[in-house]
Amino acid sequence: MKKVIASALCLTMAAAMFAGCSKSSSKAKGEINLYTFTDEVVKMSEKYKELHPDFGYDFKVTQIATDGGGYQQALDAALAAGGADAPDIYAAEAAFVLKYAQGAASEFAAPYEDLGIDVNAKIQEAGIAQYTVEIGTRPSDGKVVGLGYQATGGCMIYRADIAQEVFGTDDPAAIKDVVGGGSGNWDKFWEAAEQLKAKGYGIVSGDGDIWHSVENSSSSGWIKDGKLNIAPEREAFMDMSKKLKDNDYHNDTQDWQEGWYADMNGTGPKGVFAFFGPAWLINYTLGEHGADQAGNYRVTEPPVGFFWGGTWILASKYAAEASDEKKAAIADFITWITLDTSDEGLQYLWANGKMNENGTKDCVASSVVMDKSDGKSDFLGGQNMFEYFVPANAGANGKCLTESDENINTIWRDQVRQYTAGEKSKEEAIADFKSAVNEQLGIPS
Amino acid sequence: MNKKKSVNYAKFGYIFSIPFVVAYLIFQLYPVLYTVVIGFTDLEGLTTPVSSMHILSNPFQNFIDILKGSGAGSFRLCLFNTVVMWVCNFIPQIALALLLTAWFTDDRSKIKGQGLFKVLFYLPNIITAASVAILFQAFLSYPIGPLNSIRSSILSTFSSNFDGKGYNFLNNKAFTRGVVSFIQFWMWYGNTMVLLIAGVIGIDPAIFEAAQIDGASRTQTFFKITIPCIRTILLYVLVTSMIGGLNMFDIPHLLNRGGPDGATTTTAVYIYKQAFQNPRYQYNKAAAASIIMFVIIMILTLCLFYILRDKDEEELKKLRKKERKALKHQA
Amino acid sequence: MSSQSLSKSRDSFLIKVVVYVVCIILAIISIMPFWIMLVNATRNSEQISSHPISLIPSSHLIDNKNVFEKKPSFQPVTGFINSFIVSTGATVCALYFSSLTAYALSAYEWKLRDGFFKFIMGVMMIPAQCTMIGFFKMIYSLHLTNNLMILIIPAVASPAVVFFMRQYLQSSLSMEIVQSARIDGAGEFRTFNSIVLPIMKPALATQAIFIYVGTWNELFRPLVILTEGSKKTMPIMVSLLNGDIYRVEYGAIYLGLAITILPLIVVYIILSKYIVSGVSLGAVK
């Protein structure tokens, strides 16, 4: 019996293993070390070699998942160690890009101009979204060390059937008025929430949906003069979260958990009207988890503008010290990703769904590229999403970010949840938030 | 002649320990010394070279900073969390493992299928902590989830004014601590049982036979013979479970990121957050916290050694006497 | 007399019922997660997000497998080979050298013995999270990354295994056997290999399972050290299935986790006979 089980398992294993791959190595001038946490950048390196057969260098790709901080740990150690394996080009996500572009690890980054890229002129020429430049600019010398390819300005993505039922229309311009799109305040949003509740719907899935909108539109960041600073907008988020919960305006889900995904597909406890996010949320998350609702979503302007996420590309100081030939190759590749506005440039391919096997379109940083791209999406019932996302990208700002945001946000959201769930008072939650930030991050208040 | 021989044998004690010592010196000594030293310094940040760090004017400043806070997120609170969750899984785990060992090693009441049971009980230990965390998150998920379905079907049967809403289990501090303790218990009781059984298997069966002939009951046999005979293994089990439990990291970190409200942030999670997740890289604080944990664990281990000491010592003495006798005999 | 034995047999019947009920409950909660994992490997992301746990398999196994093909970083053959090398190497190193050290600690009398044992105990108590910093710093500055040996050789110094083996030897090694081997003229090293190691079989088997499982499942250390695609172990590859942090393909992840566990189950079944039956020491004596 045991033998039977064991051999059956072996067979299953063998069956599962047939996906072997072999890589052929061609003769190349050398290797460029590329560190990334996402396979998007891996695909870009392959596409680039395909488009530029005379490139001459091989990409030695190191892809590490962000699990448990593994990517940053390996990248930090590799940057600090230097040598032949040191990263030449590396990717950083919005949650931690500030550490590499402005904070503790920024000294490892090389300014784009040191690679021979005429960065300021090209940024102008391509019309790169201002906030991505702000985030990628190192404060110590005011030079651009990183740029993104995406633009991640956020919109409100709502369900057409619910809009039709509750508000009598699913027209984006009309819905914009219903929720007070572009008004800069949440007054009409609450009115809409009450109307939706009357018909048994929630306006959002959880408080996380409006948090990003609050976070990236507030007047100041988490840290001011080395001390913890709670911007009034962020403090007001506590009341918003409480209001959503007490009035039953949402399903009280947490972002990135099963309940949140279920709401995208309309299978939660009650139907959810809207999600707040950039174009990538549609492509990656809503598209993946809301397949039953395909064609039923529309995009309109949110009450308060914001941005969320994105990936930045940096070159290391080791790349800037390389031979002129290698430096030029690195510069060409980075330019192709971040600054090239031609129809062969990454951003055009990206915006028009020519990089992904399923043809999903995404917003990119260059407004020049956006102007000549078409954002019609079947998932949005044929709506051209760029109509709303392009202005959203212009409205985003990266001024009140700090490198500790990821950590502070986690503590903050946790305390807000405690308050919202009635576990503690607002004052206690704020006091505990301050204490936890000081104890765990060493930031006094 | 006699003396010469025993010196000769002592030599092998050193020789056989060489691989361990060499591997330790090469791979682990530096990291350990590094940790100990930076606990007393101002070393912070990713790019600060080790050469530029300084011993603090008060070398214990990091320790004072860590220990003085008692509010949310403080080390003291994390220590409290750790101890609570550890006690809640350690005691039931040892108790159940001992009980199962007693059942499975009892020759008189042959339990059918015990081989299969033994194999199955260890299985939870095979799954990675990450998978276990995902599965438990799924089980407890909110607003809709398996446990919530069970809860609402019970509540709707017994209470007429149930609102039908789900309950966010992972936002309840006591409940989440309980879940972490349960997972630890569930993952490790089989492991503990396997170790204890291996110890019992090592006992000379003649001892049990003699006990049976003398008419000892099962309970008597277990407490008077089995337990004393596996004392050394028991000491191992207690000490390693304690070390593992007080350094508990994976499950609390993965289940709910040490939340809600820091209720499952153990000291190991605290150390990890200081060293790896903090963009300021407070290596010195992490190192100091590690040293504090080391001292605490050492004291507790010494207590365990003290409690289970007698027999250990006696056996050692007996062994030595035997060896000496044998040597004399040889000579 | 007869009524007494009757009540006794009723008692033992009751005890048996309790034993079986407890064992069956424990067995069910041990198997459950594996079943749920296998079932989820056949379901797609939508199904999993709306009903995270199900006991009835669905029909998306092939779809989930196809996700692997879209992920060039997921190469199960390479992952299995690397995991196999690391786990087997580390297990063999840890078992053999720890037994040797434990034998040195329990069979010989030498001056530094007690001190050495205390040192090993102390080493065991150091929290792993903190020595990581120094370990990574050392590995990276010596450019030893992407070397599987770095995950194998350090296992030679496994304090917890030494401690276990020492405890086991103290309770089950009789010096008479060693003495008689010496009288037969066997060298110390041969005595250890041919007489002491076989005595330790049950202990070796249990520790082998623990070490194998532990190394196979280890994620953080390999994740940081093995950065090259061709050197990655299975758990790292599964972690990369989540490569796009905005996209969660639950079904494929569960399938990856299930595949990762299969070899462990095989190893476990092979070694479990020692757990089930053990090795009687009476025969040796």
Side-chain angles (χ1 to χ4, degrees):
Chain A
M1 183 58 192
K2 229 187 267 164
K3 264 186 189 162
V4 177
I5 298 172
S7 53
L9 286 173
C10 287
L11 268 178
T12 333
M13 269 161 60
M17 293 203 300
F18 61 79
C21 250
S22 66
K23 267 186 190 166
S24 59
S25 59
S26 54
K27 283 216 165 174
K29 291 182 214 164
E31 279 178 337
I32 292 173
N33 288 325
L34 178 61
Y35 271 60
T36 174
F37 59 92
T38 162
D39 52 10
E40 284 172 3
V41 180
V42 183
K43 284 179 191 152
M44 287 175 199
S45 68
E46 285 159 5
K47 187 81 180 174
Y48 184 73
K49 287 207 73 170
E50 186 189 315
L51 291 173
H52 301 85
D54 53 346
F55 178 57
Y57 282 86
D58 277 336
F59 287 106
K60 193 173 151 204
V61 178
T62 302
Q63 191 196 345
I64 302 167
T66 46
D67 281 34
Y71 175 68
Q72 293 184 57
Q73 188 60 34
L75 178 59
D76 294 348
L79 284 170
D85 295 329
D88 294 309
I89 302 170
Y90 46 106
E93 211 264 343
F96 53 84
V97 62
L98 284 193
K99 181 173 113 190
Y100 295 96
Q102 304 186 5
S106 64
E107 66 182 74
F108 292 116
Y112 274 26
E113 59 182 57
D114 287 8
L115 298 166
I117 302 172
D118 186 7
V119 65
N120 293 326
K122 284 206 163 142
I123 286 174
Q124 291 298 322
E125 208 176 286
I128 300 296
Q130 187 53 35
Y131 84 98
T132 69
V133 181
E134 283 163 12
I135 288 171
T137 303
R138 185 162 62 190
S140 59
D141 55 7
K143 288 178 177 169
V144 175
V145 295
L147 284 176
Y149 46 93
Q150 284 167 304
T152 58
C155 284
M156 188 176 92
I157 306 152
Y158 63 94
R159 265 171 61 180
D161 60 337
I162 298 179
Q164 199 59 263
E165 184 189 335
V166 179
F167 306 113
T169 172
D170 62 6
D171 178 47
I175 297 300
K176 177 184 160 182
D177 288 340
V178 168
V179 297
S183 63
N185 65 61
W186 297 90
D187 300 344
K188 291 194 105 178
F189 175 83
W190 295 118
E191 287 169 24
E194 195 53 47
Q195 280 175 276
L196 284 157
K197 187 188 172 185
K199 298 265 180 167
Y201 293 112
I203 189 159
V204 287
S205 174
D207 65 352
D209 290 308
I210 55 171
W211 163 247
H212 297 283
S213 193
V214 172
E215 181 196 3
N216 289 313
S217 61
S218 56
S219 50
S220 55
W222 279 128
I223 300 172
K224 218 182 203 172
D225 308 322
K227 284 190 171 175
L228 182 67
N229 162 58
I230 305 176
E233 295 87 349
R234 291 179 182 181
E235 193 170 330
F237 173 70
M238 295 184 91
D239 303 323
M240 295 173 72
S241 174
K242 185 89 176 154
K243 194 168 173 183
L244 282 170
K245 167 104 177 171
D246 291 352
N247 292 299
D248 226 357
Y249 288 150
H250 66 8
N251 279 334
D252 200 16
T253 63
Q254 231 171 300
D255 25 354
W256 308 113
Q257 291 189 359
E258 281 96 341
W260 194 56
Y261 297 127
D263 280 345
M264 294 181 174
N265 216 16
T267 52
K270 56 174 175 266
V272 162
F273 177 60
F275 292 86
F276 286 75
W280 60 253
L281 189 78
I282 299 174
N283 295 328
Y284 300 159
T285 320
L286 278 167
E288 177 80 17
H289 296 279
D292 291 354
Q293 301 290 341
N296 193 17
Y297 279 103
R298 301 287 182 277
V299 168
T300 193
E301 196 177 344
V304 176
F306 67 104
F307 83 95
W308 179 17
T311 302
W312 275 256
I313 304 290
L314 296 94
S316 73
K317 64 178 184 186
Y318 308 106
E321 289 159 4
S323 69
D324 284 350
E325 198 184 3
K326 184 175 174 183
K327 211 159 75 178
I330 292 170
D332 287 347
F333 177 61
I334 288 181
T335 309
W336 177 74
I337 294 180
T338 58
L339 293 161
D340 187 345
T341 58
S342 73
D343 291 2
E344 293 252 289
L346 181 268
Q347 299 201 19
Y348 184 82
L349 301 173
W350 193 258
N352 292 284
K354 293 182 175 157
M355 281 295 290
N356 304 340
E357 63 282 339
N358 45 2
T360 50
K361 297 168 178 181
D362 200 352
C363 288
V364 293
S366 160
S367 61
V368 173
V369 173
M370 288 303 277
D371 286 346
K372 61 179 179 178
S373 302
D374 164 35
K376 270 207 174 67
S377 160
D378 291 340
F379 189 79
L380 302 172
Q383 187 190 1
N384 180 354
M385 60 177 174
F386 292 170
E387 195 186 320
Y388 286 96
F389 278 116
V390 170
N393 294 334
N397 87 76
K399 286 196 174 106
C400 53
L401 296 173
T402 75
E403 60 173 332
S404 300
D405 281 0
E406 193 183 9
N407 295 284
I408 300 178
N409 284 340
T410 307
I411 300 171
W412 172 247
R413 295 280 306 278
D414 189 24
Q415 289 301 333
V416 172
R417 247 191 317 277
Q418 292 297 314
Y419 164 64
T420 312
E423 302 279 342
K424 53 176 78 163
S425 72
K426 194 174 170 184
E427 290 69 31
E428 282 167 341
I430 291 177
D432 285 349
F433 168 64
K434 287 177 176 168
S435 161
V437 169
N438 186 31
E439 292 284 356
Q440 289 182 354
L441 302 169
I443 300 163
S445 7
Chain B
M1 183 67 192
N2 180 8
K3 259 185 192 166
K4 223 179 184 180
K5 260 266 150 99
S6 82
V7 169
N8 250 345
Y9 283 129
K11 184 180 74 185
F12 287 103
Y14 291 99
I15 294 174
F16 287 178
S17 306
I18 288 174
F20 181 98
V21 174
V22 169
Y24 187 82
L25 290 181
I26 295 177
F27 294 104
Q28 290 173 26
L29 187 68
Y30 173 75
V32 169
L33 285 181
Y34 184 84
T35 300
V36 172
V37 172
I38 62 179
F40 298 92
T41 66
D42 58 357
L43 185 75
E44 254 183 38
L46 171 67
T47 55
T48 326
V50 180
S51 54
S52 74
M53 70 184 182
H54 302 284
I55 302 285
L56 295 163
S57 52
N58 174 0
F60 292 97
Q61 194 56 48
N62 289 328
F63 296 84
I64 294 167
D65 286 349
I66 286 172
L67 289 171
K68 76 173 178 220
S70 61
S74 64
F75 181 80
R76 266 153 66 175
L77 204 64
C78 296
L79 189 59
F80 172 76
N81 294 335
T82 313
V83 171
V84 167
M85 290 190 288
W86 171 62
V87 169
C88 289
N89 92 71
F90 184 73
I91 292 171
Q93 180 195 324
I94 299 288
L96 182 65
L98 276 173
L99 187 66
L100 292 171
T101 307
W103 287 348
F104 289 155
T105 56
D106 186 356
D107 279 346
R108 276 172 273 185
S109 63
K110 283 252 181 309
I111 298 186
K112 282 195 190 107
Q114 57 164 293
L116 182 69
F117 285 135
K118 282 184 220 164
V119 170
L120 288 179
F121 294 170
Y122 179 71
L123 275 180
N125 207 274
I126 285 185
I127 319 180
T128 55
S131 318
V132 172
I134 291 177
L135 287 169
F136 272 84
Q137 279 168 356
F139 183 65
L140 302 169
S141 62
Y142 165 78
I144 302 177
L147 191 61
N148 261 310
S149 309
I150 296 169
R151 176 180 170 270
S152 53
S153 63
I154 291 172
L155 282 181
S156 54
T157 323
F158 292 104
S159 149
S160 50
N161 50 3
F162 173 57
D163 59 3
K165 277 190 198 163
Y167 183 74
N168 195 352
F169 294 102
L170 288 179
N171 204 36
N172 178 318
K173 291 205 231 181
F175 189 89
T176 313
R177 279 189 190 130
V179 171
V180 171
S181 297
F182 175 77
I183 296 177
Q184 291 284 358
F185 158 78
W186 171 73
M187 281 182 83
W188 292 97
Y189 80 89
N191 180 297
T192 309
M193 177 199 76
V194 166
L195 287 172
L196 294 177
I197 290 179
V200 175
I201 287 172
I203 302 173
D204 188 346
I207 302 176
F208 288 116
E209 277 160 34
Q212 208 170 344
I213 291 164
D214 291 349
S217 75
R218 288 174 196 171
T219 327
Q220 278 173 328
T221 317
F222 187 72
F223 283 104
K224 296 273 159 67
I225 296 176
T226 314
I227 297 232
C229 283
I230 59 166
R231 197 169 220 140
T232 50
I233 293 294
L234 197 61
L235 179 66
Y236 170 84
V237 167
L238 294 176
V239 169
T240 48
S241 303
M242 193 187 70
I243 294 173
L246 291 177
N247 285 328
M248 190 188 326
F249 174 74
D250 289 352
I251 295 294
H253 179 63
L254 294 166
L255 183 72
N256 202 7
R257 286 182 168 209
D261 198 9
T264 58
T265 305
T266 61
T267 49
V269 174
Y270 175 91
I271 290 166
Y272 175 82
K273 281 187 173 168
Q274 295 285 356
F276 291 110
Q277 281 198 325
N278 186 342
R280 286 173 60 181
Y281 292 90
Q282 296 183 315
Y283 290 142
N284 53 353
K285 294 250 168 69
S290 302
I291 296 169
I292 296 172
M293 279 318 285
F294 174 74
V295 171
I296 291 172
I297 292 173
M298 196 173 64
I299 292 169
L300 290 173
T301 308
L302 287 177
C303 293
L304 277 178
F305 264 83
Y306 183 79
I307 294 166
L308 291 169
R309 175 188 59 157
D310 298 344
K311 199 68 176 214
D312 225 350
E313 210 82 338
E314 261 175 36
E315 251 168 293
L316 262 176
K317 270 180 198 156
K318 234 189 267 169
L319 271 175
R320 281 176 203 172
K321 223 181 248 172
K322 267 184 202 165
E323 200 175 1
R324 248 173 267 144
K325 227 189 239 167
L327 284 172
K328 242 179 223 166
H329 202 72
Q330 245 180 317
Chain C
M1 186 69 190
S2 71
S3 76
Q4 214 178 13
S5 75
L6 203 73
S7 80
K8 219 177 183 180
S9 77
R10 194 190 299 145
D11 274 0
S12 76
F13 177 74
L14 270 177
I15 290 173
K16 269 204 165 167
V17 170
V18 172
V19 169
Y20 281 116
V21 168
V22 171
C23 285
I24 287 168
I25 292 172
L26 290 175
I28 290 171
I29 62 169
S30 297
I31 299 174
M32 256 338 199
F34 289 91
W35 181 244
I36 293 166
M37 221 148 76
L38 289 175
V39 167
N40 277 351
T42 68
R43 304 167 77 216
N44 65 13
S45 297
E46 282 162 52
Q47 290 171 325
I48 295 172
S49 54
S50 50
H51 296 283
I53 285 177
S54 162
L55 299 178
I56 305 144
S58 179
S59 56
H60 296 277
L61 182 64
I62 304 295
D63 300 339
N64 290 334
K65 200 215 80 198
N66 288 341
V67 173
F68 293 164
E69 276 154 27
K70 285 188 268 169
K71 305 267 181 182
S73 55
F74 190 79
Q75 294 175 29
V77 180
T78 318
F80 272 121
I81 294 172
N82 290 332
S83 280
F84 179 78
I85 295 172
V86 170
S87 308
T88 312
T91 307
V92 170
C93 281
L95 284 183
Y96 187 78
F97 292 104
S98 301
S99 310
L100 194 65
T101 314
Y103 184 62
L105 282 170
S106 46
Y108 302 107
E109 282 201 64
W110 36 297
K111 221 198 234 163
L112 295 176
R113 183 175 78 167
D114 291 347
F116 183 54
F117 180 63
K118 279 176 192 145
F119 167 75
I120 289 179
M121 292 303 294
V123 164
M124 205 167 77
M125 294 169 209
I126 300 169
Q129 279 74 33
C130 206
T131 53
M132 284 286 182
I133 307 163
F135 187 69
F136 291 152
K137 259 205 149 103
M138 183 176 82
I139 299 298
Y140 269 84
S141 38
L142 297 176
H143 297 289
L144 290 173
T145 49
N146 290 316
N147 190 337
L148 295 182
M149 283 299 158
I150 284 303
L151 295 168
I152 296 175
I153 308 287
V156 169
S158 309
V161 187
V162 175
F163 180 33
F164 179 79
M165 294 302 177
R166 175 200 179 254
Q167 300 302 87
Y168 187 83
L169 282 178
Q170 301 232 308
S171 66
S172 56
L173 175 73
S174 101
M175 281 313 285
E176 278 114 5
I177 305 176
V178 178
Q179 293 299 349
S180 61
R182 281 175 188 162
I183 291 163
D184 291 348
E188 290 304 300
F189 195 57
R190 242 196 78 197
T191 309
F192 171 75
N193 283 333
S194 56
I195 295 185
V196 179
L197 273 184
I199 289 177
M200 297 171 80
K201 251 188 190 170
L204 290 171
T206 47
Q207 286 295 316
I209 293 172
F210 298 162
I211 303 167
Y212 209 92
V213 169
T215 339
W216 186 279
N217 284 339
E218 194 180 7
L219 175 64
F220 193 60
R221 218 162 43 118
L223 187 71
V224 176
I225 291 174
L226 306 174
T227 55
E228 223 166 71
S230 63
K231 294 282 162 55
K232 287 184 170 155
T233 58
M234 212 45 209
I236 309 181
M237 294 204 173
V238 175
S239 80
L240 280 179
L241 285 179
N242 224 342
D244 274 321
I245 57 171
Y246 306 123
R247 181 174 5 213
V248 184
E249 288 176 281
Y250 279 123
I253 291 172
Y254 276 111
L255 181 58
L257 292 173
I259 295 176
T260 311
I261 275 187
L262 288 179
L264 278 186
I265 295 180
V266 174
V267 170
Y268 182 55
I269 289 174
I270 294 168
L271 288 173
S272 66
K273 77 168 188 221
Y274 293 101
I275 290 176
V276 174
S277 57
V279 172
S280 168
L281 283 180
V284 183
K285 280 183 185 171

